[in-house]
Amino acid sequence: MLNRRNFLTAAIGVAAAGTLAACAKEDDSASDSTGSGGSKKIVLGFSQVGSESGWRTANSESVKSAAKDAGYTLKFSDAQQKQENQISAIRSYIAQKVDVIAFSPVVVTGWDAVLKEAKAAKIPVVLTDRSVETSDDSLYVTLVGSDFTDEGRRAAKILEKVIEKAGLKGNVKIAQLEGTTGAAPAIERAKGFKEVMDAEHKDDWKIVVSQTGDFTRAGGKQVMAAFLQSNPDVNVLFAHNDDMAIGAIQSIEAAGKKPGKDILIVSIDGVKDGFVAMSEGKINAIVECNPLLGPQLMEVVKTVHDGGSVERWIKTKEGDFMQDQAKAALPTRKY
């Protein structure tokens, strides 16, 4: 399977996400209407999922900072984890006749209608962080994001090492804190983890309880408390992101158990607070998912605005990704 990470994801670095400012609901980062050469700035409409986690906050900050550095006019909206808010924002960008639209979709499905509207208006759409399922792959130009399925696989493989180091014997009883229901990272991280579990640990690993914590600390805390009531003998937690793991730690400690010892914890992201918890021995391992996608996004925005071709990844019926070339629906604009 080809790996999307090889193309557009950041290769190194983890943001100190806990120190970054929270996203605004709406933020027009416009300053001047012209660049240094007197040409009109590229206007980018960006719809963010929300500000549900440290990763998301860092991602928003990266987009805003990179747009400023590139000299683009950024129209930023926070969807507060609601698909209807994102659709409304995208339609607003279409009405404003922005040059390029980018968004990180709350969920995988339900985008065809608004994406067709953008295509009819000849405004190219770039996906960031998360993928979508559409009836027509030409409705968006490309995806700047990570391979979530591979992150799930790596979480399972690193759990093998955590279990070995901890000397855990016998059956592995796993509690899984899922991300937002219907979101690409939740679907794909669970899929990748289960692939490895089914292939290599069919007899000794079992997910005994699994529920969404909505990628939030509060959700992780609440759901983990319920897990411990219904399944007090779980000895492993797989959390789809650090924030849910951090919330879960509070419930584990409240139950008189030691996170990282009585319950081994593996999560995904790599935000500052996650590393702090790992340094304290409360999280055993973290799979990195880099949030600093802003610079790559701005490069792609410039390419598609100028009518150039970019690499894209198309999901096959088997669920793998194949590489292709795509050209923006928007012709080259001269100012």
Side-chain angles (χ1 to χ4, degrees), residues 156-166:
K157 296 301 291 184
I158 204 168
L159 177 58
E160 293 175 337
K161 297 178 181 179
V162 167
I163 289 171
E164 181 181 0
K165 183 176 180 181

Side-chain angles (χ1 to χ4, degrees), residues 171 194-206:
N171 292 332
K194 194 171 186 302
E195 278 182 9
V196 173
M197 188 179 76
D198 289 349
E200 302 178 24
H201 300 281
K202 186 179 296 184
D203 297 328
D204 57 328
W205 288 18
K206 183 179 180 181

Side-chain angles (χ1 to χ4, degrees), residues 21 32 52 60 62 89 100 112 128 215 233 245 295 320 333 335:
D32 302 328
E52 74 285 355
S60 293
S62 176
V100 180
D112 278 28
T128 70
F215 283 129
D233 57 345
D320 291 341
R333 293 187 179 183
Y335 293 117

Side-chain angles (χ1 to χ4, degrees), residues 1 7 45 100 144 148 197 203 218 223 230 239 275 296 314:
M1 183 186 79
F7 172 44
V100 180
V144 181
F148 299 129
M197 188 179 76
D203 297 328
V223 174
S230 62
F275 278 121
Q296 292 90 338
I314 299 175

